[in-house]
């Protein structure tokens, strides 16, 4: 291993992995999933040396175990249950679940196979490892870090002088960070400063949230809706959101309730997000499509149900920077609660382009699964016939099921 270990704690993942993990443990422990890595950058190539380093880093990650101090921290989160924490006491990543090879495209393929309970937890650390290996080995890392620090200080100055007023915002950048050190520096500096029109409320990185005494932020991801809604062969996938929301409420009640709207389009989501769920969930998250149109749609939906939008939160998390977030906050001011989860712009803004890499669920229980988001091209499925089938199911429901 050429670099120091990149992942040094099993807490070093996004909070929603534990939120979903608890539901999976209690309700879907027998589900099996396949996950596939994809690099969307057309000009990026991973060398043989990079691939070998990624393998060694993932082996090191698979040697980690939760400490009792870490488990105690998780147990103090009000919606985390002792049964799941006890499971994590025994849990360990398995290198045998990985298949890592070289290819002629970007130079790197990664797939994981096994129980959803295991493979879900691999996604974020794997992406963090791939990022850090790439930026250490493809560039002069110290120069990148210097440009990162310079840009970070400029961002903080813009918040301090009220150039941008974001209201509540969190850091969501673990999966695409420049490095562990860069992400920690960003969280530390954002947390130690005060801003007239903005409040830094937390990070998705549970390890850093614990270290700096801030809120670990995150509820559900697309995988939850895709696997719950599409992994059962008896389910009509156009009702994926109903199944996913129903099981979430069974697990959490009114706690931990921010629903993701765009797994099979927001319009289809709203067919299931009726009075009961709209009341129980504290808000919804935007991850694709025009944020202004989406926000207007959500406000109208709440009003149509007789719910005051001012009692609900719209969490925006799609490709944000401070300028874009400021415009959204200003546009919706006084009409609804607003919050932001800002990722790469905080954790990997340097003089070179960030990687656009993802690792997505591509099969569940032997079935193809897919998302059809509000932005064309954000989905990932190896079987175009299944995507066509899913789209037909959604279209039929939107046209006939009123």
């Amino acid at each position: 291993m050429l670099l120091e270990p990149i992942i040094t704690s099993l807490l070093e993942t996004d909070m929603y992995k534990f939120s979903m993990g608890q539901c999976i443990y209690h309700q879907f422990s027998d589900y099996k999933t396949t996950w596939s890595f994809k690099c969307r950058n057309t000009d990026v190539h991973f060398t043989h040396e990079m691939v070998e380093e990624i393998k060694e880093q993932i082996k090191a990650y698979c040697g980690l175990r939760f400490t009792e101090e870490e488990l105690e921290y998780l147990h103090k989160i009000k919606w985390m249950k002792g049964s799941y924490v006890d499971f994590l006491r025994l849990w360990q990543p398995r290198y045998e679940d990985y298949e890592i090879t070289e290819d002629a495209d970007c130079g790197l393929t990664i797939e994981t196979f096994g129980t959803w309970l295991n493979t879900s937890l691999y996604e974020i650390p794997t992406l963090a490892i791939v990022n850090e290996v790439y930026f250490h080995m493809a560039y002069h890392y110290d120069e990148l870090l210097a440009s990162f620090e310079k840009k970070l200080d400029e961002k903080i100055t813009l918040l301090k002088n009220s150039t941008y007023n974001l209201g509540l915002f969190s850091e969501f950048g673990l999966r695409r960070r420049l490095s562990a050190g860069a992400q920690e520096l960003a969280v530390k500096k954002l947390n130690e400063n005060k801003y007239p029109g903005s409040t830094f409320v937390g990070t998705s990185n549970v390890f850093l949230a614990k270290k700096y005494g801030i809120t670990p932020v995150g509820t559900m991801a697309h995988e939850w809706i895709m696997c719950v809604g599409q992994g059962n062969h008896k389910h009509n996938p156009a009702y994926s959101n109903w199944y996913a929301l129903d099981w979430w409420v069974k697990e959490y009640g009114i706690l931990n309730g921010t629903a993701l709207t765009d797994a099979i389009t927001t319009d289809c989501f709203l067919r299931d997000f009726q009075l009961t769920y709209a009341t129980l969930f504290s808000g919804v998250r935007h991850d694709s499509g025009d944020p202004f149109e989406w926000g207007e749609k959500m406000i109208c939906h709440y009003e149509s149900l007789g719910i005051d939008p001012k009692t609900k939160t719209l969490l925006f998390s799609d490709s944000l920077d401070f300028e874009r977030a400021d415009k959204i906050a200003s546009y919706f001011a006084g009409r609804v609660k607003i919050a932001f989860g800002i990722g790469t712009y905080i954790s990997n803004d340097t003089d070179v382009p960030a990687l656009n890499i993802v690792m997505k669920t591509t099969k569940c229980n032997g079935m193809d699964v897919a998302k059809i988001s509000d932005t064309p091209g954000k989905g990932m499925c190896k079987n175009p016939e299944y995507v066509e089938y899913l789209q037909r199911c959604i279209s039929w429901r939107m046209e006939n099921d009123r």
Side-chain angles (χ1 to χ4, degrees):
M1 196 159 65
L2 301 176
L3 306 175
E4 292 296 315
I6 291 170
I7 302 296
T8 58
S9 165
L10 292 181
L11 283 186
E12 203 160 4
T13 191
D14 285 337
M15 182 63 212
Y16 65 22
K17 287 297 181 180
F18 294 123
S19 296
M20 292 184 294
Q22 179 167 286
C23 295
I24 296 166
Y25 176 69
H26 288 140
Q27 302 165 9
F28 303 100
S29 60
D30 61 335
Y31 274 32
K32 291 181 169 58
T33 54
T34 298
W35 290 69
S36 303
F37 167 86
K38 182 176 182 179
C39 178
R40 293 170 174 160
N41 303 76
T42 57
D43 58 345
V44 166
H45 185 80
F46 293 87
T47 65
H48 172 74
E49 291 75 19
M50 291 176 186
V51 175
E52 291 302 306
E53 180 65 17
I54 288 166
K55 290 179 180 178
E56 293 304 311
Q57 288 288 342
I58 290 175
K59 287 177 183 176
Y61 157 68
C62 290
L64 296 172
R65 302 294 180 270
F66 283 102
T67 68
E68 287 302 314
E69 182 184 1
E70 290 170 341
L71 293 168
E72 183 181 350
Y73 172 80
L74 286 175
H75 204 185
K76 289 179 180 177
I77 298 172
K78 61 183 177 181
W79 54 78
M80 299 302 291
K81 298 174 182 177
S83 55
Y84 180 58
V85 174
D86 280 344
F87 161 75
L88 291 177
R89 181 172 282 109
L90 304 174
W91 184 77
Q92 61 188 76
R94 298 178 70 254
Y95 188 72
E96 294 78 8
D97 292 341
Y98 282 84
E99 186 176 285
I100 305 170
T101 56
E102 299 177 43
D103 71 359
D105 187 11
C106 74
L108 173 65
T109 64
I110 304 174
E111 289 198 311
T112 60
F113 310 88
T115 64
W116 189 16
L117 199 56
N118 276 357
T119 52
S120 174
L121 287 167
Y122 300 159
E123 175 197 0
I124 307 301
T126 300
L127 291 174
I129 286 168
V130 171
N131 260 298
E132 188 156 349
V133 168
Y134 179 79
F135 285 110
H136 267 283
M137 298 181 72
Y139 296 97
H140 294 292
Y141 173 75
D142 289 342
E143 294 178 6
L144 287 186
L145 184 61
S147 69
F148 173 83
E149 292 188 46
K150 179 175 180 291
K151 290 172 178 284
L152 176 62
D153 289 339
E154 290 171 352
K155 293 180 179 73
I156 290 174
T157 297
L158 293 172
L159 293 179
K160 282 183 172 180
N161 65 21
S162 293
T163 298
Y164 299 130
N165 297 288
L166 314 184
L168 304 179
F169 75 101
S170 302
E171 186 275 328
F172 271 24
L174 172 52
R175 72 184 60 212
R176 292 178 184 151
R177 68 189 183 185
L178 172 64
S179 66
Q183 186 187 21
E184 179 166 357
L185 180 65
V187 168
K188 180 177 181 294
K189 286 193 171 185
L190 286 168
N191 187 52
E192 67 189 12
N193 286 282
K194 302 298 179 185
Y195 319 104
S198 307
T199 303
F200 180 66
V201 295
T203 175
S204 64
N205 185 328
V206 185
F207 175 77
L208 292 179
K210 176 180 180 294
K211 184 170 183 177
Y212 290 98
I214 55 181
T215 302
V217 181
T219 54
M220 69 175 70
H222 296 99
E223 67 174 276
W224 174 252
I225 300 144
M226 291 161 60
C227 292
V228 173
Q230 301 171 41
N232 186 322
H233 300 199
K234 298 177 182 178
H235 288 174
N236 180 333
Y239 293 81
S240 294
N241 288 301
W242 185 89
Y243 291 110
L245 294 170
D246 189 57
W247 283 106
W248 196 268
V249 169
K250 288 175 181 175
E251 183 71 28
Y252 291 118
I254 64 171
L255 299 175
N256 203 21
T258 301
L260 182 58
T261 72
D262 71 331
I264 55 171
T265 75
T266 293
D267 287 339
C268 194
F269 168 85
L270 293 178
R271 292 294 175 91
D272 294 313
F273 198 60
Q274 295 303 314
L275 185 59
T276 297
Y277 295 134
T279 301
L280 291 174
F281 281 81
S282 59
V284 287
R285 178 159 76 91
H286 170 266
D287 199 52
S288 65
D290 184 277
F292 301 98
E293 292 179 8
W294 177 87
E296 291 288 359
K297 186 176 294 185
M298 293 310 309
I299 289 173
C300 288
H301 185 72
Y302 280 125
E303 290 175 340
S304 73
L305 298 173
I307 296 173
D308 183 355
K310 294 178 183 178
T311 66
K312 299 296 180 179
T313 298
L314 304 186
L315 172 59
F316 294 86
S317 63
D318 180 32
S319 304
L320 293 172
D321 56 26
F322 285 172
E323 180 179 6
R324 187 169 172 84
D326 177 80
K327 289 178 180 177
I328 293 170
S330 176
Y331 181 86
F332 290 108
R335 301 173 61 198
V336 65
K337 296 178 183 177
I338 294 292
F340 299 99
I342 303 177
T344 308
Y345 176 73
I346 291 178
S347 70
N348 197 355
D349 186 12
T350 71
D351 288 340
V352 304
L355 291 182
N356 187 355
I357 57 175
V358 294
M359 195 162 177
K360 299 291 187 182
T361 329
T362 49
K363 283 186 180 292
C364 183
N365 297 331
M367 294 266 295
D368 292 295
V369 294
K371 73 169 182 174
I372 299 178
S373 73
D374 296 329
T375 298
K378 289 197 75 173
M380 180 174 170
C381 180
K382 293 188 174 182
N383 184 355
E385 290 183 356
Y386 177 75
V387 176
E388 182 185 353
Y389 162 72
L390 176 57
Q391 184 64 72
R392 283 192 286 112
C393 290
I394 295 168
S395 297
W396 187 94
R397 183 181 180 191
M398 297 304 293
E399 292 168 8
N400 297 280
D401 179 17
R402 302 185 186 278

